[in-house]
């Protein structure tokens, strides 16, 4: 029994001496923040002093108001890491990992930014000028509609065709040199793009769009028959 007491005193004395050489905040009995729950680097778009209780860590992201799933006062809002990842706080069309000015939250895009997510589906991003009144202008400068997507007729009124150019849809055609035929189009793509070969249309006497389409149909038919007669047989 005496030997056991002496052995216990020896162990206790050794432990006290070992702890005396270790700073108290470095001892294993002290609770420490788990750094894996923290943001590794914080700068613009973060509040580095705000305590994120759910993640047991300091530092929270500012989320842009347009990326939030609820309406607020139109200002960036601090959101916990847990709510960003699991709480349904971020709209499904937005990516909260991308900085947008001084807050996080940019509409998701694919195909080098030429298509953007709207209500869970991807729609064309149009070049500036192709749309009369876009619902939203993206950070890239591209424009989108959030409800009714533009048709061939809508674009043709401004002289545009839904052709991908420079990372967005919308190529401008000089109406004195080209005719955009939307007669049989069911989406934003025209049925045909007719080169006018310098014709001005003076004296054609078209009173309606239907008259113009009929005339172009006839010209197209004649052109096709002539091509078949003189070229396809070779």
């Amino acid at each position: 029994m005496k030997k056991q007491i002496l052995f216990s005193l020896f162990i206790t004395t050794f432990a006290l001496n070992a702890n005396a050489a270790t700073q108290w905040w470095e001892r294993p009995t002290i609770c420490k923040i788990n750094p894996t729950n923290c943001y590794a680097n914080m700068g613009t778009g973060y509040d580095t002093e705000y305590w994120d209780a759910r993640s047991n860590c300091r530092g929270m992201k500012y989320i842009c108001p347009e990326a939030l799933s609820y309406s607020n006062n139109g200002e960036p809002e601090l959101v916990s890491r847990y709510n960003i990842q699991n709480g349904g706080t971020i709209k499904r069309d937005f990516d909260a990992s991308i900085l947008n000015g001084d807050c996080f939250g940019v509409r998701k895009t694919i195909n080098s930014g030429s298509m953007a997510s709207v209500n869970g589906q991807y729609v064309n991003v149009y070049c500036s000028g192709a749309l009369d009144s876009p619902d939203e202008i993206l950070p890239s400068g591209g424009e989108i509609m959030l409800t009714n997507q533009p048709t061939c007729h809508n674009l043709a009124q401004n002289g545009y065709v839904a052709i991908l150019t420079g990372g967005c849809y919308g190529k401008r055609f000089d109406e004195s040199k080209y005719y955009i035929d939307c007669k049989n189009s069911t989406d934003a793509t025209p049925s045909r793009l007719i080169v006018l070969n310098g014709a001005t249309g003076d004296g054609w006497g078209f009173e309606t769009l239907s008259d113009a389409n009929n005339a172009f149909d006839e010209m197209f038919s004649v052109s096709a028959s002539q091509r078949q007669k003189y070229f396809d047989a070779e």
Side-chain angles (χ1 to χ4, degrees):
M1 182 67 179
K2 184 177 181 181
K3 290 182 178 181
Q4 290 179 344
I5 293 173
L6 290 174
F7 182 74
S8 297
L9 288 173
F10 173 78
I11 293 298
T12 302
T13 302
F14 179 80
L16 289 173
N17 290 335
N19 284 335
T22 304
Q23 300 293 348
W24 67 267
W25 58 85
E26 294 179 350
R27 295 178 187 176
T29 56
I30 299 300
C31 296
K32 299 178 181 179
I33 296 174
N34 183 358
T36 60
N37 294 331
C38 303
Y39 292 112
N41 298 297
M42 290 184 285
T44 303
Y46 293 89
D47 186 325
T48 59
E49 299 300 321
Y50 204 91
W51 179 255
D52 186 343
R54 186 67 180 261
S55 297
N56 191 33
C57 200
R58 194 170 300 281
M60 291 176 67
K61 275 185 178 182
Y62 280 104
I63 302 300
C64 301
E66 57 268 25
L68 295 172
S69 61
Y70 53 87
S71 298
N72 68 347
N73 59 2
E75 297 293 331
E77 187 169 309
L78 286 171
V79 179
S80 71
R81 188 170 183 173
Y82 175 86
N83 284 342
I84 291 174
Q85 296 173 342
N86 307 294
T89 306
I90 310 300
K91 290 179 181 177
R92 60 178 176 173
D93 294 322
F94 284 78
D95 187 342
S97 67
I98 301 177
L99 187 65
N100 183 11
D102 58 356
C103 54
F104 286 86
V106 173
R107 189 175 291 275
K108 297 176 183 176
T109 60
I110 57 173
N111 299 342
S112 300
S114 64
M115 302 190 75
S117 180
V118 175
N119 298 323
Q121 297 182 337
Y122 284 91
V123 302
N124 288 349
V125 174
Y126 288 93
C127 305
S128 178
L131 302 178
D132 283 329
S133 300
D135 291 331
E136 184 177 317
I137 299 177
L138 304 180
S140 64
E143 302 173 348
I144 60 173
M145 300 299 293
L146 301 179
T147 52
N148 297 327
Q149 296 305 309
T151 64
C152 175
H153 292 282
N154 299 143
L155 298 172
Q157 288 176 354
N158 297 327
Y160 280 87
V161 174
I163 295 176
L164 183 61
T165 174
C168 55
Y169 284 86
K171 182 175 177 60
R172 182 77 167 83
F173 286 88
D174 187 340
E175 296 174 84
S176 68
K177 299 178 181 179
Y178 299 91
Y179 174 71
I180 304 170
D181 185 3
C182 299
K183 184 175 63 174
N184 297 318
S185 175
T186 58
D187 53 20
T189 306
S191 304
R192 294 176 299 185
L193 183 63
I194 301 174
V195 181
L196 300 180
N197 293 325
T200 62
D202 293 340
W204 285 359
F206 297 143
E207 295 183 359
T208 66
L209 179 60
S210 177
D211 292 338
N213 283 330
N214 290 335
F216 283 121
D217 284 341
E218 183 178 353
M219 286 187 288
F220 183 80
S221 177
V222 171
S223 177
S225 64
Q226 293 297 311
R227 181 183 61 193
Q228 184 177 17
K229 180 179 178 179
Y230 292 104
F231 296 98
D232 293 354
E234 294 182 356

